[in-house]
Amino acid sequence: MSLIKEQINSENLPQHVAIIMDGNGRWAKSRGEKRTFGHKNAINAVRNAINACNEINIPYLTLYTFSSENWKRPTDEVNTLMTLLSETLLLEANEIFSKGLRMHVIGNLDKLPSLVKDQLLRVVDLTKENTKGNLVLAISYGSQNEILNAVKNISNDVKEGKVDVENIDEKLFENYLYTKDFPPVDLLIRTSGEIRISNFLLWQIAYAELQFLDILWPDFTKDTFFQCIVDYQNKERRYGLTGDQIQIQ
């Protein structure tokens, strides 16, 4: 067993971990390869994150797989990413199912190639009865767009008399987000040394602990994940209260 894993307190686990998987291009460039080489070699890191999360029973893991801004990348890179996503789904679907994980997808799926969209929805349907854990893929996802769509949908419901303006609060607003059925994010991890959120789950990370790692995503291991959990558990989460107030509770 991993020595780092042994340090984890199973009574104080985050319920929802989100990861910005960054650094594939730089990882490839450092090896004299094209950016697409980095994306292809990132699959093991994805497996490591999923397996580590599964091993210690964290119920929700959200992976920033493809952002709404990523559509602006060179066409050959986008095509490679879509092909890789399709191939990975075919290879990993049975593994996801056998682990008892339920897969969810959030984002603007209508922008995806029809084959990729169909494959995603097929795996979502295949795993819908699974209860061991939840794997959430954020694909063609942008948080600002998600929030704007929520505002528009609430506005329409107000016009139609379905919602009273006086009843709009955080809980009601969250029911209009992609993540309405998920708990808020407790821990956000980003690799590659960049210290920014990049339009990812802006509402959902309001009180999340943020960890920015210097390693590039293809080098992400299970021990990397376990160390993030240990570091998370060493922090005092106050939610706007003082340390003394937390200790009294």
Side-chain angles (χ1 to χ4, degrees):
M1 179 184 288
S2 163
L3 293 177
I4 300 174
K5 182 180 176 182
E6 289 181 345
Q7 299 175 41
I8 295 174
N9 175 6
S10 62
E11 301 299 319
N12 182 30
L13 292 170
Q15 295 301 291
H16 189 172
V17 176
I19 304 180
I20 300 174
M21 307 178 291
D22 192 22
N24 295 343
R26 276 166 283 174
W27 186 90
K29 186 176 180 180
S30 69
R31 288 160 174 76
E33 301 284 352
K34 294 182 179 179
R35 292 176 56 84
T36 52
F37 180 76
H39 298 312
K40 292 175 181 177
N41 280 274
I43 302 304
N44 280 336
V46 173
R47 291 193 190 106
N48 288 336
I50 294 172
N51 290 336
C53 199
N54 190 240
E55 284 181 24
I56 58 176
N57 298 314
I58 291 175
Y60 287 86
L61 173 66
T62 298
L63 301 177
Y64 205 4
T65 308
F66 189 87
S67 75
S68 54
E69 290 77 23
N70 286 156
W71 291 112
K72 301 173 185 176
R73 290 189 174 187
T75 302
D76 61 337
E77 182 174 350
V78 171
N79 290 340
T80 296
L81 285 167
M82 290 297 112
T83 300
L84 185 59
L85 177 57
S86 176
E87 293 174 349
T88 302
L89 284 168
L90 290 173
L91 290 172
E92 303 295 330
N94 288 335
E95 182 72 9
I96 292 170
F97 180 80
S98 66
K99 289 182 184 299
L101 301 178
R102 181 177 181 180
M103 195 176 88
H104 310 263
V105 185
I106 60 174
N108 183 3
L109 302 189
D110 290 336
K111 294 193 69 173
L112 296 172
S114 57
L115 175 62
V116 175
K117 179 181 176 180
D118 290 346
Q119 287 175 328
L120 282 166
L121 296 179
R122 192 175 301 123
V123 178
V124 168
D125 185 65
L126 173 70
T127 62
K128 65 183 180 182
E129 302 298 330
N130 288 354
T131 58
K132 174 67 174 174
N134 296 272
L135 172 62
V136 185
L137 302 183
I139 300 176
S140 189
Y141 173 86
S143 187
Q144 290 179 329
N145 188 60
E146 177 188 23
I147 292 170
L148 284 173
N149 284 337
V151 172
K152 290 176 183 178
N153 290 331
I154 291 174
S155 298
N156 286 333
D157 284 351
V158 169
K159 287 181 182 178
E160 294 177 8
K162 297 177 182 178
V163 172
D164 190 325
V165 171
E166 299 302 319
N167 292 331
I168 298 176
D169 57 13
E170 290 91 341
K171 185 173 180 60
L172 185 144
F173 186 83
E174 287 170 356
N175 285 329
Y176 286 81
L177 299 175
Y178 292 134
T179 55
K180 62 181 181 180
D181 297 320
F182 311 150
V185 176
D186 295 309
L187 172 61
L188 174 69
I189 301 167
R190 179 174 187 146
T191 56
S192 86
E194 302 291 351
I195 304 176
R196 56 176 176 266
I197 306 303
S198 296
N199 198 18
F200 184 47
L201 299 174
L202 299 176
W203 177 279
Q204 296 86 346
I205 63 169
Y207 282 99
E209 298 296 330
L210 311 181
Q211 294 190 23
F212 300 98
L213 311 181
D214 287 332
I215 66 168
L216 302 176
W217 177 246
D219 294 325
F220 190 93
T221 67
K222 287 201 294 184
D223 273 351
T224 307
F225 186 90
F226 294 146
Q227 185 60 59
C228 287
I229 301 303
V230 171
D231 293 343
Y232 165 88
Q233 293 181 337
N234 286 332
K235 294 180 182 295
E236 182 181 66
R237 307 190 72 208
R238 296 194 294 271
Y239 298 97
L241 302 178
T242 66
D244 290 341
Q245 286 176 304
I246 294 295
Q247 292 175 11
I248 291 173
Q249 290 182 342

